[in-house]
Amino acid sequence: MNTARRVRVWGRTHPNDEAIQYAEAWARKIQFYTAVEMLREVARRPHTPPMVTVAIRSGGSVESVTFVVSSGVPYVDQAIQRIVESQRPYMAFPPALAREFDVIEIRRTWYFDGSFRLY
């Protein structure tokens, strides 16, 4: 049984502003630093926009990547795994957030359609 103190940020609203700020910074890092070539290759493949939960530990390491909704295309799902892993490590939680939580679970729907967006 996992006893880590968790916060789930599923979307862009949450009572904890620091958790929202952390999740938004995480999404910006993914969006701005992913190789354009990889994004183009993923966008070429017809797929359903996947919904993915990424759990980040307080030190910035990735605990897990979970597909709530698969893209339906193994290449696309694997590319998302590679994107998340390629950006490691993520920033450590700010001190106040780390005092409250051990893990932030960030859930976003990934869109690869002319531009790359996480919603």
Side-chain angles (χ1 to χ4, degrees), residues 11-33:
R12 290 195 158 95
T13 60
H14 191 276
N16 186 310
D17 289 335
E18 277 196 285
I20 290 294
Q21 291 171 3
Y22 185 90
E24 290 302 310
W26 172 86
R28 280 191 303 277
K29 181 175 183 175
I30 294 285
Q31 289 173 299
F32 294 143
Y33 295 106

Side-chain angles (χ1 to χ4, degrees), residues 42 45-48 50 67 70-80:
V42 171
R45 297 174 187 246
H47 64 275
T48 300
F67 286 81
S70 170
S71 69
V73 178
Y75 177 87
V76 173
D77 291 352
Q78 292 165 1
I80 290 170

Side-chain angles (χ1 to χ4, degrees), residues 102-114:
D102 300 317
V103 176
I104 293 180
E105 295 178 4
I106 304 168
R107 181 175 289 177
R108 294 288 190 268
T109 301
W110 295 55
Y111 293 94
F112 301 93
D113 57 356

